[in-house]
Amino acid sequence: MEQLLQHLVNAAVLGSTYALLGIGLTFIFGIMRVVNFAHGELYTFGAYMVYLFSVVLGVNFLLAIVIAIVLGVLLGAVIEFTLLGKLRGADIDTTMLVMIGVWIIMQNVEQLAWTGIAKTIPTPFPAEPLSLGVVSVAWSRVFVFVVAVVLIVGAQMLIQRTRLGKAMRATFQDRDTAALMGININVIYLATFALGSGLAAAAGALLGPIFIVMPSMGNLAVLKAFAIVILGGLGNMKGAAIGGFILALVEEFGAGYVSSGYRDAMGFLVIILVLMVKPTGLFARSERIG
């Protein structure tokens, strides 16, 4: 029972960041119909920005995370404005190739700037773990979970309860009609890609200090993000959040009760089995955003 509870706690922490990745990706696809292959590199970007500001420049750790998220939003806005904005109306294959190119360029720039040597990011949290009965969890992981949940709830509230969120949902339902109602589609697309990029950068900023930071860390992250989106149902934000926790739970139990070497394989195996039964994903609905 002690081991079971410990695995559940670990899965909750990891699942919260997986949910951020999945929500950011499904957010972009649901509204813009863009398959963002550079999502993993935005995740990596967030981790490196925390390293830059916290370790290299000596900025306060918490402030460094905020800066990393803001810079992720700005980078997403730049990518959308300079590349995707020029491809408005292009077919999905063209945008996929462009985003693959962004993925390759970003990874090579990171390799050039930071070399291939793995970086570690120290945290200001106590080394002594938080004990909750028979379960113990590092304070840094508690911080990751709390911040990730706040961001997930914030993204959901933005979609459901703000004027911008209503405009985004209207654009998803019918872009042409939304434009006739006075909604600036270009602004909505810019905000959508920026927000999705910021969520990916947030996941990297939170997990970077937990693990290690390297240029290739986004490769597996983007695969997991796609897996989460497909598992939850394309374009479904709530499905992506739940899918993130499901994937983390399967990985954690697979590593704990089978072998740590099969952690990633177990998650993808379950996704394959789920899609064999329900190809549209677990939570697919007629509406895919909100």
Side-chain angles (χ1 to χ4, degrees):
M1 180 58 69
E2 294 179 10
Q3 188 177 11
L4 173 64
L5 292 174
Q6 188 66 59
H7 286 314
L8 288 174
V9 170
N10 294 339
V13 174
L14 189 60
S16 62
T17 53
Y18 280 1
L20 282 179
L21 273 174
I23 289 173
L25 187 61
T26 202
F27 198 68
I28 292 170
F29 176 80
I31 294 178
M32 301 178 64
R33 299 296 189 274
V34 171
V35 183
N36 185 16
F37 281 99
H39 205 65
E41 295 313 309
L42 290 161
Y43 166 86
T44 306
F45 175 81
Y48 270 119
M49 289 302 97
V50 173
Y51 175 80
L52 171 63
F53 285 95
S54 177
V55 178
V56 178
L57 300 180
V59 175
N60 176 272
F61 177 77
L62 300 180
L63 180 59
I65 289 181
V66 174
I67 294 173
I69 297 173
V70 172
L71 290 178
V73 171
L74 293 177
L75 178 59
V78 170
I79 292 173
E80 203 286 329
F81 182 77
T82 58
L83 296 176
L84 296 176
K86 312 299 182 185
L87 298 173
R88 199 80 75 225
D91 57 73
I92 192 170
D93 295 335
T94 301
T95 56
M96 284 174 60
L97 288 173
V98 169
M99 297 317 298
I100 290 173
V102 174
W103 171 16
I104 295 172
I105 291 171
M106 287 185 65
Q107 189 168 105
N108 280 272
V109 169
E110 289 158 357
Q111 180 80 30
L112 180 64
W114 303 105
T115 73
I117 300 175
K119 312 291 186 183
T120 58
I121 303 174
T123 67
F125 303 107
E128 186 72 20
L130 171 65
S131 295
L132 302 171
V134 296
V135 176
S136 63
V137 56
W139 282 102
S140 58
R141 290 177 177 263
V142 174
F143 170 76
V144 167
F145 177 76
V146 171
V147 174
V149 170
V150 169
L151 290 173
I152 292 169
V153 173
Q156 181 65 23
M157 291 182 66
L158 184 148
I159 288 294
Q160 294 292 345
R161 301 187 180 183
T162 67
R163 189 172 181 177
L164 176 62
K166 290 180 181 179
M168 287 176 171
R169 284 185 282 136
T171 302
F172 162 76
Q173 292 171 3
D174 192 321
R175 184 183 67 178
D176 294 332
T177 302
L180 290 173
M181 294 296 103
I183 295 175
N184 190 323
I185 302 300
N186 291 328
V187 172
I188 295 301
Y189 280 1
L190 182 68
T192 297
F193 198 87
L195 180 59
S197 300
L199 291 175
L206 293 173
L207 282 185
I210 300 294
F211 302 117
I212 58 175
V213 183
M214 60 177 59
S216 61
M217 64 184 289
N219 293 345
L220 186 57
V222 70
L223 292 178
K224 291 186 178 184
F226 277 114
I228 291 165
V229 169
I230 294 170
L231 178 64
L234 291 173
N236 189 321
M237 280 186 64
K238 292 180 180 178
I242 297 172
F245 283 100
I246 292 175
L247 179 61
L249 188 66
V250 171
E251 287 185 357
E252 185 64 29
F253 276 78
Y257 294 105
V258 181
S259 171
S260 59
Y262 295 107
R263 170 187 288 272
D264 298 321
M266 292 293 293
F268 286 108
L269 176 61
V270 169
I271 290 171
I272 291 172
L273 294 176
V274 168
L275 295 183
M276 290 175 64
V277 177
K278 193 172 182 182
T280 55
L282 291 175
F283 307 99
R285 300 182 305 183
S286 57
E287 59 178 23
R288 294 187 286 178
I289 285 292

